[in-house]
Amino acid sequence: MLLLDDLNPEHLYQQYLAVMDKMQLYTSSTVNGLTECLPYNILLTNRWMLIIPRTTNEVGTVKGHGVNFIGRFLVSSHEQLQWLTNYGFMHFLTDCGVVNC
C-alpha cells in the first residue's frame, strides 16, 4: 500500500509506475507498442493506492473482479453464491492473488 500526500496526477502516475516496477509486474512483451503487464487490481482512494497482483481471473466457476477486493462479489446464480459462501470469500481472494509479491 502506498500512502498519498496529494492527488497530483503526474506524481500519482510516477508512483504507480514505480510500484509496478518494484513489484515486477511488467513483462517483456508489448501490445501495440505498449509494455504488457501481469494481471493486477488497483484500489485508489484520496489517501492511498493499493496494487494487488493476481494469478487468475476465475476460481471454481466464479469470476474474479476488482470489486472483489472492496468486499463485493458478483455471481450469476444461487449455486455460485452457495459455492462461494462455502468456499470462503477470503479463500477466494487469496487464490486470485500472488503470494509474497
Side-chain angles (χ1 to χ4, degrees):
M1 181 184 311
L2 178 65
L3 297 177
L4 304 173
D5 296 329
D6 60 54
L7 290 179
N8 174 295
E10 184 61 32
H11 183 247
L12 180 61
Y13 181 62
Q14 292 305 317
Q15 289 187 336
Y16 161 79
L17 293 176
V19 170
M20 292 289 288
D21 188 51
K22 184 175 182 176
M23 295 177 80
Q24 300 178 342
L25 291 174
Y26 292 117
T27 68
S28 58
S29 302
T30 59
V31 175
N32 296 325
L34 300 172
T35 303
E36 192 174 47
C37 63
L38 299 171
Y40 68 93
N41 287 106
I42 183 168
L43 301 176
L44 179 64
T45 74
N46 60 352
R47 288 183 253 150
W48 51 264
M49 174 174 52
L50 178 64
I51 296 176
I52 305 161
R54 284 193 341 260
T55 56
T56 186
N57 290 330
E58 188 171 354
V59 178
T61 62
V62 178
K63 300 241 188 269
H65 301 279
V67 296
N68 299 144
F69 294 93
I70 62 168
R72 304 280 188 211
F73 290 81
L74 307 173
V75 295
S76 58
S77 69
H78 180 70
E79 289 78 19
Q80 280 188 336
L81 176 59
Q82 190 61 47
W83 179 88
L84 185 57
T85 301
N86 292 336
Y87 192 74
F89 298 98
M90 290 304 292
H91 191 193
F92 180 87
L93 291 175
T94 301
D95 285 353
C96 287
V98 175
V99 177
N100 295 330
C101 183

